[in-house]
């Protein structure tokens, strides 16, 4: 098919919008609210190919940069990206690529889907921690105390969730994705 | 949710509104870069006066900028608190366990607060005075030289424009499917953890299937109208670089020199 590239580009753009929309949702899951942002990134990575997943997150970040309030809780602008927590947003890029790559290289089973999502989530957290350390000139210990450990458990929980749902969708949508 | 569609653009008729989006984008990023040069009261005051001057020129009410800070206030306070608690040096005012409030910590905290507010003011100014599509054009134009290293500037800009166009469409779609599934008895907020997880599936499957179909239709429609990618494509909205744009960049250069002079 001639328009395969174009179709893929449009799907990528649509996933960027999904990430933007899901960032505004939070599903109440007991004590830890599940913000849609990390979930949507994980889901995008599980469903799309590595390059497309990376681009979808990139477009999502660009939408934020040009002033659409797409980041969590209707934030937007360069200031969020360059702020202390901007590392988490940049980490999503790595997260999307790594997760998607791992899933592509393995069987898209529940085990590997969840595993890949957890690895991706760890990438986000490590990026965020390094960024916060450099941005605020903290020591490594205090950087990990503020940016890594408190988010570790919710992060893994969301990753398991995104991996589980993602693999179900991956299986059911595989026909539609390959077009 | 309306905010997601409109962005934050406020139409107006000022020098800043009429500037080329490329000049505004470059200047904003440059401003955020040089603000890290500030390290004493004088330099922050200089940056503050400059920001106020630009805001005055834009003829946008200051209230809009304050509003821009409000949603980020927790993020700022969080950052400032961290800075105050974990910086050591100078006179110690308060000490408890690993936490100590010191002179350096306090000054650093105040400086970081100022830096945050100035960065927010500047990026708010960019998005208040420039429509999202103009910024998307500017990004394409600025990134075009990166084609040398095979960076797909046109593709990125195309995807960005499509994404902007699809925000309201996909929001409607999500709403519609949620209501349709609610009508069939799906409950998105009740039940155990596993049940809540499973409730998302009947929302996502129709959402993704319809978006794949939409992509198919749009791609066909674009090709039928002769879309062939970025090579040799002319623009409907042409950007034009004016004298004021050059002047803005010169101002940024002068500001850098002043900063270097004021720096401790």
């Amino acid at each position: 098919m001639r328009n395969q590239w174009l179709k893929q580009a449009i799907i990528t753009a649509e996933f960027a919008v999904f990430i933007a929309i899901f960032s505004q949702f939070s599903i109440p899951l007991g004590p830890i609210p599940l913000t849609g942002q990390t979930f949507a990134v994980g889901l995008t990575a599980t469903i799309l190919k590595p390059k497309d997943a990376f681009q979808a997150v990139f477009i999502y970040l660009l939408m934020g940069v040009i002033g659409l309030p797409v980041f969590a809780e209707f934030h937007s602008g360069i200031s969020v990206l360059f702020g202390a927590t901007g590392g988490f947003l940049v980490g999503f890029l790595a997260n999307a690529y790594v997760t998607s790559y791992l899933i592509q290289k393995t069987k898209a089973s529940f085990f590997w889907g969840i595993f890949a999502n957890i690895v991706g989530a760890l990438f986000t957290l490590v990026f965020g921690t390094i960024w916060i350390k450099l941005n605020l000139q903290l020591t490594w210990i205090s950087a990990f105390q503020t940016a890594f450990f408190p988010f570790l458990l919710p992060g893994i929980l969301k990753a398991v969730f995104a991996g589980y749902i993602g693999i179900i969708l991956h299986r059911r949508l595989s026909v539609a994705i390959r077009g | 949710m309306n905010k997601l569609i409109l962005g934050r653009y406020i139409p107006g008729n000022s020098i800043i509104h009429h500037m080329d989006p490329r000049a505004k984008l470059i200047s904003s990023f440059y401003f955020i870069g040089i603000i890290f040069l500030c390290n004493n009261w004088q330099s922050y005051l200089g940056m503050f006066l400059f920001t106020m001057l630009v805001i005055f020129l834009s003829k946008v009410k200051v209230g809009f900028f304050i509003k821009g800070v409000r949603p980020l206030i927790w993020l700022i306070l969080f950052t400032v608190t961290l800075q105050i608690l974990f910086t050591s040096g100078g006179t110690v005012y308060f000490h408890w366990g690993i936490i100590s409030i010191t002179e350096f910590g306090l000054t650093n905290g105040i400086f970081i607060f100022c830096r945050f507010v100035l960065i927010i003011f500047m990026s708010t100014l960019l998005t208040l005075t420039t429509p999202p599509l103009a910024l998307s054009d500017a990004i394409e134009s600025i990134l075009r030289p990166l084609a040398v290293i095979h960076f797909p500037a046109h593709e990125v800009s195309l995807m960005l424009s499509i994404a902007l166009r699809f925000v309201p469409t996909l929001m409607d779609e999500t709403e519609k499917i949620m209501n349709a599934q609610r009508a069939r008895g799906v409950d998105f907020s009740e039940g155990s953890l596993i049940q809540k997880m499973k409730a998302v599936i009947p929302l996502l499957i129709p959402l993704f299937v319809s978006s794949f179909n939409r992509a198919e239709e749009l791609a066909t429609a674009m090709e039928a109208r002769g879309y062939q990618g970025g090579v040799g494509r002319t623009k409907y909205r042409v950007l034009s670089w004016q004298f004021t744009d050059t002047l803005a960049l010169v101002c940024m250069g002068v500001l850098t020199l002043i900063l270097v002079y004021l720096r401790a």
Side-chain angles (χ1 to χ4, degrees), chain B residues 169-232:
Chain B
T169 314
L170 292 180
M171 269 167 50
D172 282 353
E173 186 96 8
T174 312
E175 191 75 44
K176 216 182 278 173
I177 294 171
M178 276 180 99
N179 286 336
Q181 300 293 28
R182 275 198 194 105
R184 290 175 176 82
V186 176
D187 197 330
F188 290 105
S189 55
E190 294 288 312
S192 69
L193 197 103
I194 303 289
Q195 282 171 325
K196 274 181 206 162
M197 271 167 70
K198 292 213 162 138
V200 189
I201 298 173
L203 166 68
L204 293 178
I205 292 204
L207 197 59
F208 288 164
V209 167
S210 79
S211 69
F212 290 136
N213 290 339
R214 192 180 301 108
E216 182 78 51
E217 282 162 18
L218 179 62
T220 311
M222 283 171 74
E223 296 231 311
R225 286 163 178 76
Y227 178 79
Q228 290 177 323
V231 183

Side-chain angles (χ1 to χ4, degrees), chain B residues 20-61:
Chain B
D20 189 298
R22 285 170 294 184
K24 281 191 268 190
L25 198 63
I26 294 172
S27 311
S28 306
F29 271 93
Y30 188 76
F31 182 88
I32 290 169
I34 58 173
I35 202 160
F36 287 92
L37 286 175
C38 292
N39 59 0
N40 57 8
W41 297 108
Q42 293 88 332
S43 46
Y44 273 106
L45 186 69
M47 289 303 255
F48 179 76
L49 290 177
F50 178 80
T51 311
M52 284 300 132
L53 174 73
V54 182
I55 289 176
F56 173 74
L57 285 177
S58 75
K59 296 185 195 162
V60 177
K61 288 195 196 86

Side-chain angles (χ1 to χ4, degrees), chain A residues 38 87-92 94-95 118-132 140 143-144 146-156:
Chain A
T38 34
F88 292 103
L89 292 173
V90 177
F92 285 151
N95 180 350
I118 291 176
V119 173
L122 289 179
F123 263 85
T124 308
L125 285 177
V126 169
F127 259 79
T129 309
I130 295 173
W131 189 288
I132 220 167
W140 282 111
F144 270 90
T146 47
F148 192 81
F149 298 121
F151 300 107
L152 191 58
L153 197 64
I156 287 178

Side-chain angles (χ1 to χ4, degrees), chain A residues 17-170:
Chain A
V17 179
F18 285 134
I19 302 177
I21 294 176
F22 277 84
S23 296
Q24 317 308 334
F25 281 122
S26 70
I27 303 164
L29 277 185
I32 310 141
L34 183 89
T35 61
Q37 198 175 29
T38 34
F39 169 66
V41 172
L43 207 58
T44 305
T46 313
I47 294 172
L48 295 184
K49 295 192 195 76
K51 191 174 142 252
D52 297 328
F54 182 86
Q55 281 180 338
V57 176
F58 186 69
I59 299 294
Y60 166 68
L61 296 182
L62 276 184
M63 284 166 80
V65 166
I66 65 175
L68 272 90
V70 295
F71 299 143
E73 290 164 37
F74 293 112
H75 294 167
S76 78
I78 315 169
S79 42
V80 181
L81 207 54
F82 281 86
T85 55
F88 292 103
L89 292 173
V90 177
F92 285 151
L93 285 171
N95 180 350
Y97 194 86
V98 169
T99 306
S100 183
Y101 183 80
L102 281 177
I103 287 173
Q104 201 186 39
K105 286 289 154 190
T106 58
K107 290 185 296 270
S109 62
F110 284 110
F111 172 76
W112 285 109
I114 291 171
F115 173 77
N117 267 287
I118 291 176
V119 173
L122 289 179
F123 263 85
T124 308
L125 285 177
V126 169
F127 259 79
T129 309
I130 295 173
W131 189 288
I132 220 167
K133 190 223 175 282
L134 298 177
N135 200 293
L136 300 178
Q137 286 126 36
L138 298 173
T139 58
W140 282 111
I141 294 167
S142 45
F144 270 90
Q145 276 170 347
T146 47
F148 192 81
F149 298 121
F151 300 107
L152 191 58
L153 197 64
I156 287 178
L157 197 69
K158 285 182 208 174
V160 171
F161 184 49
Y164 176 71
I165 301 280
I167 293 296
I168 293 179
L169 293 176
H170 187 91

Side-chain angles (χ1 to χ4, degrees), chain B residues 58-74:
Chain B
S58 75
K59 296 185 195 162
V60 177
K61 288 195 196 86
V62 183
F64 284 107
F65 294 90
I66 311 272
K67 244 186 244 162
V69 177
R70 206 185 298 148
L72 290 171
I73 196 74
W74 290 111

